[in-house]
Amino acid sequence: MRTWQVGDVMTRDVATVGEETPYREIIDVLIRRGVSGVPVVDGFRRVLGVVSEVDLLHKVEHAGRPDERRVFEGRRRRTAREKAAGLVARDLMTAPAVTTVPGASLPAAAGQLDREAVKRLPVVDDLGRLAGIVTRGDLLRVHLRTDAEIREDVVQEVLRRVLAVRDGLVTVQVRDGLVTLDGRLDRRTAVDLAGRLAAQVGGVVQVVNRIGYDVDDTALVGLPPGPVTPVA
């Protein structure tokens, strides 16, 4: 079954700057393109780092007090002060960049954004060259899919192609991304699998699995009993 990947939602037309791009030109790129950060790339479009509004604001924060020192000033503060003195992207960027690949799953990318506390991930190919960029908003875009599109994927990809369920055995209703499965199958493992796979369809918010079953075969395949209740 096909699942949505970073390559499906990433932005391909990415604003970039080079190592020698001046401070004011970087600001111009951010404002003109309406973005809050840009990858820094070399002549082969390999990603060297990222310059964000946060990196650029250090110059504003430390303006007029370059020699000021603080007690207990940590490494992070010193790095901020060094960036405040930077004039080109090479000295301003955060490096190395946190990146992902087009084939990464959306949950994996979302987890990476959360762990690294960043707003965007440059997407690179096998050679480290920029292929696109994915933001938090891009990952949420999958939930703009219509209920009809979601239902079509559940019916065609999950029930027919993967589980080979005959038409009429299971009904699928989708409302605001909430998928409700109803009907009856022969085995409990098939019922559990239908619910798990439906939850992986792009745009699904939640799955309510009401499918009944004839035989509880979970013990035979060594699986723990799932949340499904047999229908009389």
Side-chain angles (χ1 to χ4, degrees), residues 17-23 26 40 51 87-93:
V17 296
E19 290 182 271
E20 301 299 326
T21 303
Y23 177 89
I26 298 171
V40 181
V51 175
L87 298 176
V88 296
R90 180 184 60 251
D91 302 322
L92 297 162
M93 68 184 183

Side-chain angles (χ1 to χ4, degrees), residues 55-137:
D55 297 316
L56 299 175
L57 280 171
H58 293 311
K59 191 174 290 295
V60 177
E61 178 186 0
H62 294 279
R65 50 189 179 93
D67 297 326
E68 178 183 331
R69 292 293 182 267
R70 298 184 182 184
V71 180
F72 306 121
E73 188 175 58
R75 176 60 191 164
R76 183 175 182 181
R77 175 60 62 180
R78 291 197 300 274
T79 300
R81 194 176 301 282
E82 291 165 1
K83 289 184 178 182
L87 298 176
V88 296
R90 180 184 60 251
D91 302 322
L92 297 162
M93 68 184 183
T94 297
V98 181
T99 62
T100 187
V101 295
S105 69
L106 300 192
Q112 195 174 8
L113 285 169
D114 183 57
R115 288 193 307 274
E116 301 292 342
V118 294
K119 295 181 178 181
R120 68 197 63 79
L121 296 172
V123 184
V124 298
D125 63 14
D126 294 339
L127 298 179
R129 297 173 303 192
L130 185 68
I133 198 164
V134 65
T135 66
R136 296 169 179 174

Side-chain angles (χ1 to χ4, degrees), residues 6 21 33 50 94 118 123 136 171 175 185 216 221:
V6 165
T21 303
R33 294 294 296 268
V50 173
T94 297
V118 294
V123 184
R136 296 169 179 174
T171 61
R175 182 172 182 179
L185 296 176
D216 186 349
V221 296

Side-chain angles (χ1 to χ4, degrees), residues 40-57:
V40 181
V41 299
D42 64 12
F44 298 97
R45 288 187 64 81
R46 291 176 299 203
V47 178
L48 305 174
V50 173
V51 175
S52 69
E53 291 173 334
V54 173
D55 297 316
L56 299 175
L57 280 171

